[in-house]
């Protein structure tokens, strides 16, 4: 099964990204061709490459009932930077028919 390897690649790249090492983050995420992968992995690749314009388009394609759920956009560290963008908030509203708001995670 390929999915666990994909998760490992995304998480390793995300770790570097969140540490501010975007050069190595991109090197890791781009070590694989994501074109035949599931939409959620394609979205991760776009976000980690900071290809936000295509990320918004894919968010719309995935829609409200796709592989990435509303709560995922609100909580996953993958979306930490893109959530700060106004266009993300607009796309979120278009997809889910509600305003984006920060979701508190119980501790």
């Amino acid at each position: 099964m390929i999915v666990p390897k994909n998760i490992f690649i995304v998480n390793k790249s995300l770790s570097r990204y969140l540490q501010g090492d975007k050069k190595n983050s991109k090197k890791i995420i781009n070590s694989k061709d994501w074109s035949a992968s599931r939409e959620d992995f394609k979205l991760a690749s776009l976000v980690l490459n900071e290809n936000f314009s295509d990320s918004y388009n894919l968010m719309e394609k995935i829609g409200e009932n796709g592989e990435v759920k509303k709560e995922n956009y609100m909580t996953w560290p993958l979306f930490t930077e893109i959530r700060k963008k106004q266009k993300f908030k607009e796309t979120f509203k278009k997809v889910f028919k509600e305003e984006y708001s920060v979701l508190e995670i119980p501790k």
Side-chain angles (χ1 to χ4, degrees):
M1 187 173 208
I2 297 173
V3 173
K5 183 175 181 181
N6 290 351
I7 293 169
F8 175 78
I9 293 169
V10 168
N11 285 342
K12 185 174 180 183
S13 176
L14 178 60
S15 173
R16 297 292 194 281
Y17 184 86
L18 294 175
Q19 293 174 40
D21 186 1
K22 293 181 181 181
K23 180 180 176 184
N24 279 319
S25 171
K26 288 180 182 183
K27 184 177 178 183
I28 293 164
I29 200 69
N30 292 329
S31 68
K32 176 175 173 47
D33 176 6
W34 298 97
S35 61
S37 298
R38 294 185 336 207
E39 301 292 341
D40 53 347
F41 290 112
K42 290 178 187 175
L43 183 59
S45 173
L46 291 171
V47 170
L48 290 167
N49 276 295
E50 296 185 329
N51 186 343
F52 296 143
S53 179
D54 287 343
S55 297
Y56 304 133
N57 292 334
L58 188 52
M59 282 175 67
E60 289 185 40
K61 182 179 175 187
I62 292 170
E64 65 180 317
N65 297 312
E67 294 168 338
V68 183
K69 307 295 182 212
K70 176 174 58 173
E71 292 77 17
N72 301 145
Y73 289 112
M74 300 169 91
T75 61
W76 281 359
L78 172 66
F79 301 110
T80 298
E81 290 301 315
I82 196 172
R83 279 193 293 255
K84 298 174 184 174
K85 310 285 184 195
Q86 182 59 36
K87 182 70 174 169
F88 170 85
K89 294 172 181 148
E90 292 167 6
T91 305
F92 183 93
K93 183 176 182 178
K94 187 173 183 181
V95 171
F96 298 106
K97 319 293 188 275
E98 65 182 69
E99 298 287 336
Y100 168 77
S101 61
V102 177
L103 183 64
E104 291 288 328
I105 304 297
K107 294 183 180 183

